[in-house]
């Protein structure tokens, strides 16, 4: 059997979409449709049926996917062995690892769903983030945890040497667009419901938030390690957040196909060692 037919089937099965599969494989939609028809001829069964505006796998497709997932993953791993390892990394830790050789780093997506989908499709080989996954296809390892902190410019007119609960809620804030577990970051970390803050601005990156906090009277938030790294350059003050919130847990997430891959395993160990030994430098 032509392995390209199985790769095409696998992409359509993951995306439940001929259009998205074609984009991933860099093929035309007619070429993907033709490959599926050829595969259906080989197995003698219908693999997908129309469902609303999309398609849904048949029982035969589910059975085929179960049979070929691991063999295809092994073949793809062998093909990619010589590639540069691509890593999604939260910007809170990017400054610790981006100089490592043989690795290419990209800031993790705002959407947790997109991050996990990109791991599945091997757009990236692993992710370092505070996201998590309950999928059996993913391995999730805790790396480090650290507190979230509040920052403001050193000459802030209303904030002195400490930040009280009242100060926190009187001030205007910068919010972060990143969502994890379908919640914004403060709700994600909060241990109990809190009053709404006054949100004056919203950014897609913590670095942008810190730069904005350094040049306005708005309060920002960050992990402690990134705040300590940038505060001297941006003339920021760092305070504990006066709320009951959990620490930020940084995790490594990768597909189970790489569990026993020696190159991938070595990369994981190097990344964990660098992060754990240099967290607040």
């Amino acid at each position: 059997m032509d392995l390209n037919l199985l790769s095409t089937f696998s992409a359509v099965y993951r995306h439940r979409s001929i259009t998205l599969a074609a984009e991933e494989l860099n093929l035309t939609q007619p070429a993907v449709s033709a490959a599926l028809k050829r595969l259906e001829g080989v197995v003698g069964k219908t693999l997908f049926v129309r469902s609303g505006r999309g398609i849904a796998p048949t029982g035969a497709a589910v059975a085929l996917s179960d049979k070929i997932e691991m063999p295809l993953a092994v073949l793809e791993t062998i093909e990619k062995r010589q590639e540069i390892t691509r890593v999604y990394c939260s910007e809170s830790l990017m400054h610790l690892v981006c100089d490592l050789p043989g690795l290419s780093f990209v800031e993790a997506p705002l959407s947790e769903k997109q991050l996990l989908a990109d791991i599945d499709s091997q757009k990236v080989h692993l992710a370092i983030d505070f996201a998590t996954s309950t999928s059996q296809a993913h391995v999730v390892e805790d790396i480090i945890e650290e507190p979230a902190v509040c920052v403001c410019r050193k000459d802030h007119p209303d904030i002195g040497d400490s930040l009280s609960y009242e100060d926190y809620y009187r001030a205007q804030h910068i919010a972060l667009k990143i969502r994890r577990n379908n919640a914004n970051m403060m709700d994600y970390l909060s241990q109990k419901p809190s009053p709404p803050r006054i949100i004056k601005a919203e950014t897609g990156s913590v670095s942008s938030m810190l730069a904005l906090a350094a040049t306005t009277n708005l309060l920002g938030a960050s992990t402690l390690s990134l705040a300590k790294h940038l505060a001297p350059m941006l003339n920021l003050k760092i305070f504990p957040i006066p709320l009951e919130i959990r620490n930020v847990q940084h995790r490594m997430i990768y597909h189970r196909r790489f569990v026993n891959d020696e190159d991938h395993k070595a990369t994981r160990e190097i990344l964990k060692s660098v992060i754990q030994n240099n967290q607040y430098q």
Side-chain angles (χ1 to χ4, degrees):
M1 184 184 294
D2 186 348
L3 287 177
N4 288 327
L5 296 182
L6 296 179
S7 296
T8 301
F9 162 79
S10 180
V12 175
Y13 185 85
R14 282 198 314 274
H15 291 294
R16 304 295 199 266
S17 166
I18 289 175
T19 301
L20 294 178
E23 290 177 359
E24 177 186 321
L25 299 168
N26 198 26
L27 296 172
T28 64
Q29 293 181 42
V32 172
S33 296
L36 287 179
K37 286 200 173 294
R38 285 177 58 199
L39 184 58
E40 287 177 333
V42 172
V43 300
K45 296 179 180 178
T46 299
L47 296 174
F48 295 95
V49 294
R50 291 287 178 188
S51 177
R53 295 184 178 181
I55 57 175
T58 63
V62 173
L64 179 60
S65 177
D66 290 343
K67 289 179 181 178
I68 69 172
E69 180 180 9
M70 288 310 298
L72 276 182
V74 171
L75 290 173
E76 289 171 355
T77 299
I78 293 172
E79 289 176 359
K80 293 174 180 290
R81 185 66 58 87
Q82 300 304 317
E83 289 188 4
I84 291 177
T85 300
R86 298 183 300 278
V87 181
Y88 274 153
C89 186
S90 81
E91 64 177 318
S92 296
L93 301 178
M94 183 87 77
H95 64 287
L96 299 178
V97 297
C98 63
D99 287 331
L100 290 173
L103 303 175
S104 173
F105 294 93
V106 180
E107 191 176 318
L110 299 180
S111 161
E112 185 175 69
K113 182 179 180 181
Q114 184 64 55
L115 181 150
L116 298 176
D118 289 346
I119 289 174
D120 289 341
S121 68
Q122 294 195 65
K123 181 177 180 179
V124 293
H125 298 94
L126 62 91
I128 300 169
D129 194 79
F130 33 87
T132 191
S133 172
T134 58
S135 169
Q136 292 293 321
H138 301 142
V139 178
V140 182
E141 299 179 14
D142 291 346
I143 306 177
I144 56 170
E145 68 173 47
E146 59 177 325
V149 295
C150 189
V151 298
C152 70
R153 63 189 179 97
K154 282 189 174 180
D155 57 349
H156 194 289
D158 302 317
I159 307 296
D161 295 329
S162 62
L163 181 68
S164 68
Y165 181 90
E166 290 74 19
D167 293 334
Y168 185 81
Y169 277 105
R170 272 197 302 267
Q172 296 180 322
H173 292 257
I174 310 161
L176 193 61
K177 291 181 182 178
I178 295 175
R179 298 183 70 81
R180 295 293 179 262
N181 199 25
N182 202 32
N184 65 49
M185 286 309 301
M186 287 306 299
D187 289 342
Y188 177 72
L189 295 175
S190 293
Q191 293 183 327
K192 64 180 184 180
S194 302
R197 297 172 296 159
I198 305 171
I199 304 300
K200 184 70 171 178
E202 191 174 27
T203 70
S205 100
V206 181
S207 299
S208 296
M209 178 186 289
L210 297 185
L212 190 58
T215 54
T216 67
N217 291 331
L218 305 182
L219 301 191
S222 170
T223 56
L224 179 59
S225 58
L226 185 61
K228 282 191 169 184
H229 179 63
L230 293 179
M233 291 178 274
L234 297 175
N235 289 317
L236 292 169
K237 294 189 287 190
I238 303 173
F239 301 103
I241 296 177
L243 303 174
E244 292 185 32
I245 60 172
R246 298 189 304 272
N247 282 346
V248 177
Q249 177 67 64
H250 298 281
R251 303 179 179 93
M252 183 176 289
I253 308 173
Y254 53 94
H255 199 280
R256 195 167 293 279
R257 64 170 69 95
F258 290 118
V259 166
N260 296 315
D261 181 278
E262 291 301 324
D263 291 343
H264 197 276
K265 190 184 299 184
T267 297
R268 299 195 304 263
E269 291 305 314
I270 290 171
L271 286 167
K272 284 189 285 188
S273 176
V274 169
I275 291 169
Q276 290 167 352
N277 293 324
N278 298 279
Q279 182 177 1
Y280 293 121
Q281 295 184 12

